Amino acid sequence: MKFHPEGSATERPLVSLVDDDESVRESLPDLLREFGFAARAFSSAEEFLVSDCIGQTGCLILDIAMPGMTGPELQQELKRRRQEIPIVFITAQRDETVRPRVLEQGAVECLFKPFSDTALLDALNTALRLN
Amino acid sequence: MEELPADEIKRLRRCNNDLVSVLALPAMWSGAEPSQIVHTFLDALLGMLGLDLVYVRLKDPIGDSPIETVRIAQSRKQMPQPQEVCDLFNRWFGDDPQKWPPLVRNPIGDGDISIVPARLGLHGEIGLLLAGSQRAEFPCQTERLLLSVAANQASIGLQEARLLSEQRRVAKELDQRVAQRTTELAQTNQELRREIADRRRAEEQLRRSEAFLTEGQKLSRIGNFSWLVPTDDIKWSEQLYRIFEFELGVPVTFELIGSRVHPEDLPLLYDMIGKAQRAVSSFEYEHRLLMPDHSVKYLHLIAHGSRDNQGRLEYIGAAQDVSQRRLSEEALAKARSELANVARVTSLGVLTASIAHEVNQPLSGIITNAGTCLRMLSADPPNVDGARETARRTIRDGNRASDVITRLRTLYSKKDLSPESMDLNEATREVTALSLSELQSKRVILRHELADDLPAVTGDRVQLQQVILNLLRNAADAMSAVDDRPRELLIRTECDEGDRVRLSVKDAGVGFAAQAADKLFEAFFTTKSDGMGIGLSISRFIIEAHHGRLWATANDGPGATFAFSIPCAARAWPTPKTRVNQADPLTGAA
Ligand SMILES: Nc1ncnc2c1ncn2[C@@H]1O[C@H](COP(=O)(O)OP(=O)(O)OP(=O)(O)O)[C@@H](O)[C@H]1O
Ligand SMILES: [Mg+2]
């Protein structure tokens, strides 16, 4: 028996993940499902934008540095489209200046990799309360 | 669904807990002294892995005697002297750790003990860790993984602690030098004060005798002047003639004054004349004099305006020769720049940051998987298949982290920095491979144009790679604000005339002003909020040690090109190698 029956997928909030790092796309969705969310992973901002997920996404976990469109650029693009999706940024770059910048632009949280699962869960709960 | 035996679940759960605690260690010791780090680290390992003993030997970066620490499980009644344990291990130090015997006589009990050695630092430059246990199955696969992740964590922590204490040392030294110069300045000041007091005394005497005034002025290097503006009638005291080194009594004109004023300070003289024409009430200047023997004097001058009985504007003032004070100020500035050399060590910081970034990526996977695994195991019923899959991934990511360390280790594997015959193209590729993720995250498009027929150069591989890394980082930084054109970075190698090779890094960044070209290479010159301003000065130092040249040119289009050119043939290096002796990169044959 699986912990979460497939049938209840529609009731669970959808968390979308955009990260160019394959190991994150592989590991994080499992953790998100353990948290009790539905999860979808995308390898680029462009891929997320053409998907049918934007409307249903309750929270977006977004990598900052990616080839092509970056995380903060996707944040701006969503704003332009008036898509009010709460965003939790994740980054491996320990650059303390990016955090205030993305928070100012309305992100819920910005976590430095490696982050703990509880820190992520806290951020997601905050994000989903916003909806 | 297949059920795992309860104790395998327990084991997985424990392994995960341990990993998470190992990864949490840096938070406990951030900012701590190396000795505190070692204690925390040893206690954690001992408890976590149920070891019988752990031993750490830290190389001392300054002195040469290593610092040794031993921890032994508390359950043991018999407490040996740390010295005994160390003596036992000392027999194998210096050998290849791979070749150490896995079992040694137990220094703290009967029978044998299994020993796992781990290097601290990329090539053991920080020290060595030994973990020992009497358990027959020690070390199992997860224990090995835990040890290697923990050793890496400790290495990064210790490296940072060292850097921190080195920075503190540099800062302290700077403080001391500044304090020393301040004392010197204070002394000069006191002398000046004494001179002024002397002058006061002299002024007292003035009332009695005009002759004493001259004496007093000489003492304090202060001269007086008066300047009747409408007629440009200027009168100087004897001392002012002496300061300007003009023959006593020659008529003073602005032309005469202008011939002594330092050409760069002439505008100040014109400014002063302008002020007088506007009849300002007073003025004050500090300017230089260029003497016939090319020495420079610093003059401090103050004047107040008043009207004479015919209502004409007249300035009465004093000018003091302040050269001595200025000289000690310059000495202070020089002491600062000497410190730039001391600060070379801080370039290690760049290295530590890049290691941290390379390792953070896989660590992130480890933590996420470990968290998932824990949750799957604590569900009711436990999701054992899922847990097994995530545990597999945890181990894979752990190996990925060690791969990164190994890769860095080969890049910085030289203990003694020494010249060798090397392929600059290959060295370049190694650096760019390591910088790739950093460059990509800055959206830099990197192109190589590496000459096929590039001859080998004799040089210190690690140092030259450090130069290339500095140039790449600077180029990427210069383009960080560029958004209206591609952030193109071209790294090129080519043969240069006179049996030299040239490497250039061309960017499309903000560039630099022509008059700043030489400033860029000065130590501590930086335009970045987070820059130290030492990258280029170290690089130039390294290239000059290779009998080469490092320079910057502005591009025709946007951006700048930084290039160095070094001779191929071994010149002043102790053991010259001929090119025929070069190892063939394909066969490895010499
Ligand atoms: N490619 C470049 N284009 C334009 N300016 C540059 C370039 N490289 C260096 N500079 C200028 O030269 C200065 C000094 O460079 P340098 O590498 O010595 O120090 P830094 O980059 O500021 O700090 P750090 O010592 O941490 O590297 C920089 O701050 C920048 O103003
Ligand atoms: Mg630099």
Side-chain angles (χ1 to χ4, degrees):
Chain A
M1 189 188 83
K2 279 257 170 92
F3 185 50
H4 295 292
E6 294 293 339
S8 67
T10 46
E11 300 146 30
R12 289 183 279 141
L14 175 66
V15 176
S16 295
L17 162 72
V18 180
D19 195 320
D20 63 313
D21 185 26
E22 197 190 333
S23 76
V24 174
R25 289 202 308 278
E26 180 192 62
S27 58
L28 213 47
D30 277 351
L31 182 62
L32 293 170
R33 287 184 199 112
E34 284 305 312
F35 285 156
F37 305 119
R40 286 280 304 267
F42 303 90
S43 63
S44 70
E46 290 83 352
E47 196 186 310
F48 176 69
L49 284 173
V50 299
S51 75
D52 51 5
C53 282
I54 302 185
Q56 300 139 46
T57 297
C59 175
L60 178 62
I61 300 179
L62 187 51
D63 186 22
I64 289 193
M66 292 183 288
M69 188 185 267
T70 67
E73 282 166 0
L74 176 57
Q75 184 183 26
Q76 294 309 319
E77 176 61 20
L78 290 172
K79 262 194 195 165
R80 207 183 54 76
R81 299 188 182 189
R82 309 202 179 289
Q83 295 287 347
E84 306 274 317
I85 308 176
I87 299 179
V88 173
F89 278 102
I90 54 178
T91 176
Q93 216 89 38
R94 270 214 176 264
D95 177 355
E96 302 290 341
T97 59
V98 301
R99 203 181 120 87
R101 236 185 298 144
V102 296
L103 292 185
E104 193 181 305
Q105 289 300 309
V108 175
E109 183 50 288
C110 174
L111 302 171
F112 291 116
K113 296 177 189 174
F115 45 80
S116 76
D117 47 358
T118 48
L120 180 66
L121 186 57
D122 286 348
L124 291 175
N125 283 334
T126 316
L128 291 166
R129 265 198 302 275
L130 292 177
N131 286 344
Chain B
M1 186 204 297
E2 182 201 350
E3 279 297 319
L4 270 190
D7 48 344
E8 183 169 358
I9 294 185
K10 227 197 250 160
R11 199 178 55 77
L12 272 174
R13 196 176 273 170
R14 202 179 131 177
C15 170
N16 268 308
N17 278 338
D18 289 348
L19 256 176
V20 173
S21 0
V22 165
L23 294 170
L25 283 173
M28 293 171 63
W29 64 45
S30 94
E33 294 287 324
S35 61
Q36 289 165 275
I37 296 184
V38 168
H39 288 305
T40 317
F41 177 55
L42 291 187
D43 287 340
L45 269 191
L46 201 66
M48 193 180 287
L49 298 181
L51 299 174
D52 290 301
L53 71 88
V54 258
Y55 164 82
V56 159
R57 170 183 161 109
L58 284 191
K59 291 196 181 147
D60 191 324
I62 304 158
D64 41 15
S65 60
I67 301 163
E68 295 170 300
T69 317
V70 184
R71 275 279 200 287
I72 287 157
Q74 293 209 322
S75 58
R76 309 215 142 255
K77 296 190 186 73
Q78 209 184 326
M79 284 299 281
Q81 294 296 314
Q83 193 56 44
E84 269 174 63
V85 181
C86 302
D87 284 348
L88 184 68
F89 294 139
N90 263 326
R91 255 185 268 151
W92 301 293
F93 291 148
D95 278 353
D96 181 357
Q98 308 296 330
K99 295 190 192 130
W100 290 356
L103 280 183
V104 301
R105 188 183 61 72
N106 189 354
I108 52 168
D110 306 327
D112 286 340
I113 187 164
S114 311
I115 290 293
V116 180
R119 282 185 286 195
L120 297 176
L122 297 180
H123 40 67
E125 78 280 11
I126 294 181
L128 179 77
L129 165 75
L130 292 179
S133 169
Q134 274 184 302
R135 272 181 289 121
E137 76 281 8
F138 179 82
C140 68
Q141 195 193 3
T142 51
E143 284 167 329
R144 271 195 194 280
L145 172 72
L146 275 171
L147 272 170
S148 100
V149 173
N152 283 337
Q153 295 285 88
S155 304
I156 293 177
L158 286 164
Q159 181 86 0
E160 276 170 359
R162 262 188 199 180
L163 214 71
L164 204 70
S165 70
E166 188 55 31
Q167 278 167 352
R168 283 194 193 123
R169 196 178 66 73
V170 171
K172 206 169 125 198
E173 192 164 326
L174 181 63
D175 276 356
Q176 271 169 0
R177 296 234 189 155
V178 169
Q180 188 189 334
R181 297 299 176 196
T182 314
T183 331
E184 286 170 19
L185 277 180
Q187 263 166 15
T188 316
N189 237 334
Q190 216 168 15
E191 269 165 39
L192 275 176
R193 257 198 229 120
R194 224 186 8 250
E195 285 172 10
I196 289 169
D198 287 346
R199 184 182 63 148
R200 291 238 173 81
R201 216 171 303 129
E203 276 168 357
E204 295 267 307
Q205 292 167 342
L206 167 71
R207 274 185 229 125
R208 278 174 274 144
S209 161
E210 191 68 25
F212 280 136
L213 171 65
T214 333
E215 216 29 51
Q217 291 201 338
K218 204 161 150 188
L219 211 64
S220 56
R221 296 189 198 88
I222 292 180
N224 297 96
F225 63 87
S226 64
W227 169 20
L228 193 58
V229 179
T231 62
D232 269 350
D233 186 12
I234 302 174
K235 289 235 159 39
W236 277 5
S237 73
E238 228 174 88
Q239 177 62 17
L240 209 50
Y241 277 101
R242 231 173 266 126
I243 292 173
F244 274 79
E245 295 176 20
F246 284 132
E247 206 179 307
L248 207 66
V250 297
V252 182
T253 61
F254 279 112
E255 214 186 338
L256 186 76
I257 299 175
S259 70
R260 274 286 190 273
V261 172
H262 195 291
E264 286 170 20
D265 290 349
L266 274 174
L268 295 175
L269 184 66
Y270 304 141
D271 185 63
M272 185 178 82
I273 297 172
K275 281 209 168 109
Q277 263 144 20
R278 275 176 282 123
V280 298
S281 64
S282 66
F283 52 80
E284 180 168 357
Y285 286 95
E286 186 160 330
H287 67 82
R288 288 167 296 173
L289 301 180
L290 187 60
M291 309 314 289
D293 66 352
H294 298 293
S295 64
V296 172
K297 285 184 181 175
Y298 291 87
L299 206 66
H300 183 192
L301 169 157
I302 304 176
H304 295 281
S306 59
R307 300 277 165 184
D308 70 1
N309 42 14
Q310 295 168 47
R312 296 180 299 181
L313 176 62
E314 184 178 35
Y315 286 101
I316 310 276
Q320 183 178 23
D321 179 356
V322 293
S323 306
Q324 246 183 356
R325 192 171 73 208
R326 286 302 292 263
L327 287 180
S328 17
E329 277 165 16
E330 269 167 18
L332 174 63
K334 186 155 164 283
R336 274 215 189 96
S337 81
E338 279 165 22
L339 276 176
N341 284 335
V342 184
R344 266 188 313 142
V345 288
T346 37
S347 65
L348 273 176
V350 177
L351 192 57
T352 316
S354 74
I355 298 173
H357 175 250
E358 293 291 328
V359 178
N360 278 348
Q361 201 75 315
L363 282 192
S364 160
I366 296 179
I367 296 227
T368 305
N369 285 318
T372 311
C373 185
L374 272 183
R375 282 162 205 275
M376 287 176 166
L377 288 177
S378 49
D380 187 24
N383 173 1
V384 176
D385 284 347
R388 202 184 270 141
E389 170 61 17
T390 50
R392 193 188 57 75
R393 278 190 216 144
T394 310
I395 291 180
R396 189 204 52 200
D397 284 346
N399 291 337
R400 200 173 134 205
S402 346
D403 282 352
V404 172
I405 301 280
T406 317
R407 211 148 38 93
L408 283 163
R409 193 174 272 158
T410 46
L411 179 48
Y412 297 95
S413 61
K414 272 275 155 31
K415 261 192 196 127
D416 300 309
L417 303 179
S418 57
E420 59 178 306
S421 185
M422 56 173 276
D423 178 355
L424 194 61
N425 283 344
E426 192 187 300
T428 306
R429 276 189 223 102
E430 280 176 2
V431 176
T432 51
L434 270 170
S435 316
L436 212 56
S437 68
E438 193 192 341
L439 292 176
Q440 268 173 3
S441 73
K442 293 177 174 164
R443 282 189 297 147
V444 169
I445 303 156
L446 176 66
R447 272 200 309 132
H448 292 85
E449 260 180 43
L450 307 182
D452 285 333
D453 54 352
L454 201 69
V457 296
T458 302
D460 187 309
R461 186 190 193 83
V462 176
Q463 291 193 346
L464 290 178
Q465 286 183 321
Q466 169 120 45
V467 172
I468 301 172
L469 187 69
N470 278 333
L471 298 184
L472 285 180
R473 279 173 190 274
N474 280 352
D477 289 348
M479 295 193 284
S480 63
V482 168
D483 281 314
D484 58 351
R485 53 180 181 265
R487 300 180 176 176
E488 279 182 335
L489 199 165
L490 172 65
I491 182 158
R492 183 209 300 263
T493 56
E494 60 201 305
C495 296
D496 210 347
E497 44 188 70
D499 208 16
R500 302 161 81 85
V501 293
R502 174 194 294 209
L503 180 147
S504 49
V505 175
K506 179 179 177 192
D507 63 53
V510 291
F512 56 86
Q515 59 280 25
D518 269 324
K519 271 207 130 46
L520 307 184
F521 293 92
E522 277 176 28
F524 292 141
F525 175 81
T526 180
T527 52
K528 302 167 196 168
S529 59
D530 57 349
M532 278 280 301
I534 56 170
L536 285 176
S537 65
I538 293 173
S539 301
R540 185 169 257 183
F541 178 81
I542 293 176
I543 292 302
E544 283 173 358
H546 284 79
H547 309 286
R549 214 160 63 77
L550 169 68
W551 70 95
T553 43
N555 294 341
D556 284 338
T561 300
F562 283 72
F564 65 76
S565 165
I566 51 174
C568 321
R571 233 195 249 168
W573 301 111
T575 46
K577 288 177 193 159
T578 58
R579 226 174 289 155
V580 207
N581 272 343
Q582 262 264 272
D584 183 322
L586 289 179
T587 61

